[in-house]
Amino acid sequence: MPVELDAIADELYGLRPEDFVAARDARAAEARKAGDRALADAVRALRRPGLSAWASNLLVREHPDEIEPLLRLGETLREAHRALDGARLRESSRRQRVLVGELARQAQQLAGRAGHAVGEDVRREVEDILHAVLADPRAAEEWRTGRLVRPFGQVVGFPAVDDAAVPRLPARPVAAPRHRAGDDSDRAEERRLLAEARKEAEAAERELRALEGEAATAARTADEAGAHADGLGHRVAELTAELKSRKDEERQARAAERTARDEARAADRALRDARRRAEDATARVARLGGQGRGSTSAGRRRV
């Protein structure tokens, strides 16, 4: 990821989900205005995180030191599953339950302090994310970036382990100076339990692969729905801006209308005043004309 895009993504995925789209579109618009079309398209391609992904991102961002034990435990669990080491599986599984539960609660609290309280359903989704991180090193690498978009659709590896599901293998006898008759039977029992454990692991893997297709389809559907929602959000933002512009134009037109009406009323008053002055002048001329004719007639009579 280019340095500039990396910095923008780091900023955006630190925001609350409801603030993500507007901030992303603003950053994309800035890049486009600056002439960097490739960066603008890359920024627009970033997807808004779901609540559980956002909460788990908060955990990575705000408590980076506390995620390291989970990553180390994942390595231990994967190795124990590969070796079918019953003792290590039981011990690691107990640590898994405690650590996953504690980190999920922390993520829930961090989300609440960030102004977005989340419920138990989201907390359980965070736990699912953490289980995936334990099982799959690729999921762990993606999660530790703090830019997770959604819970993992596919998990390669192992499911959460319960004590009852782990075969309790008998301990190997301590070396003794002479052979004991029970050793052979103990080793035979151990081999039998290992064979059963391998069969259970293979069955779990087959079931997991069968579910992977469904999970991948669901993930694609979620991506498409998210892209459609983001597109609609972008269009709504454009229409909102256009509506604001039209309202500004309407206000300006209304102001121009009021000014024109005021000017029309002033012109009408001026016209009425001019008409009255003209009428008064005409009447005065008429009066003065009548007075002049009367004076001439009187003079003629005197002569």
Side-chain angles (χ1 to χ4, degrees):
M1 183 178 288
V3 174
E4 190 170 2
L5 177 59
D6 188 76
I8 292 173
D10 195 55
E11 172 197 345
L12 293 177
Y13 284 103
L15 301 174
R16 297 190 302 176
E18 58 267 35
D19 300 329
F20 182 91
V21 172
R24 180 201 62 193
D25 290 349
R27 295 293 179 271
E30 290 172 3
R32 190 175 297 276
K33 186 176 180 180
D36 194 339
R37 190 180 190 87
L39 178 61
D41 291 343
V43 172
R44 280 296 308 277
L46 297 175
R47 290 289 168 257
R48 177 181 58 190
L51 284 179
S52 58
W54 170 70
S56 70
N57 289 340
L58 284 178
L59 186 64
V60 173
R61 288 166 172 269
E62 299 196 19
H63 295 289
D65 293 340
E66 296 186 21
I67 71 171
E68 290 302 324
L70 185 76
L71 299 175
R72 290 194 298 271
L73 178 60
E75 296 174 359
T76 301
L77 274 167
R78 291 191 294 272
E79 183 180 347
H81 268 271
R82 285 192 296 269
L84 292 176
D85 187 333
R88 290 178 68 191
L89 279 173
R90 286 190 294 275
E91 176 60 28
S92 298
S93 296
R94 283 192 289 270
R95 290 177 57 202
Q96 173 186 0
R97 286 192 293 273
V98 173
L99 188 55
V100 166
E102 177 59 29
L103 290 177
R105 283 189 293 274
Q106 285 189 29
Q108 186 178 29
Q109 293 168 0
L110 288 171
R113 287 199 291 269
H116 204 316
V118 296
E120 289 302 304
D121 290 343
V122 172
R123 186 183 63 79
R124 283 191 290 271
E125 287 185 4
V126 173
E127 289 183 351
D128 291 341
I129 290 172
L130 299 178
H131 283 301
V133 168
L134 286 169
D136 187 350
R138 292 171 297 180
E141 287 302 314
E142 183 178 352
W143 174 66
R144 75 189 307 169
T145 65
R147 299 171 190 161
L148 195 63
V149 174
R150 64 176 188 277
F152 297 101
Q154 295 184 5
V155 179
V156 179
F158 50 86
V161 179
D162 183 70
D163 281 348
V166 180
R168 295 182 177 274
L169 305 179
R172 291 182 180 272
V174 179
R178 59 189 179 85
H179 177 74
R180 294 188 300 175
D183 288 352
D184 291 341
S185 62
D186 287 345
R187 284 194 292 272
E189 178 67 10
E190 180 179 346
R191 286 194 296 271
R192 184 185 68 79
L193 291 174
L194 282 172
E196 291 178 357
R198 287 193 179 95
K199 288 181 180 179
E200 292 177 3
E202 290 171 359
E205 288 292 337
R206 287 195 297 271
E207 182 181 0
L208 178 62
R209 284 194 294 271
L211 293 173
E212 283 177 354
E214 298 178 10
T217 299
R220 285 194 297 271
T221 302
D223 282 343
E224 291 170 0
H228 182 61
D230 288 346
L232 290 176
H234 183 65
R235 182 58 180 156
V236 167
E238 290 178 345
L239 291 174
T240 301
E242 184 177 352
L243 177 61
K244 182 179 182 299
S245 175
R246 293 293 182 268
K247 285 185 176 180
D248 290 341
E249 292 176 2
E250 180 189 9
R251 284 193 291 270
Q252 293 173 4
R254 293 295 184 189
E257 178 191 12
R258 288 193 295 271
T259 299
R261 290 188 183 280
D262 290 342
E263 291 176 352
R265 284 193 290 269
D268 185 62
R269 286 194 298 271
L271 177 62
R272 289 197 298 271
D273 291 343
R275 186 177 288 119
R276 282 196 297 272
R277 288 195 298 272
E279 291 172 353
D280 291 345
T282 299
R284 183 180 178 191
V285 168
R287 287 196 302 273
L288 291 175
Q291 290 176 358
R293 287 194 297 273
S295 299
T296 303
S297 299
R300 287 175 179 171
R301 284 194 299 272
R302 283 197 299 272
V303 173

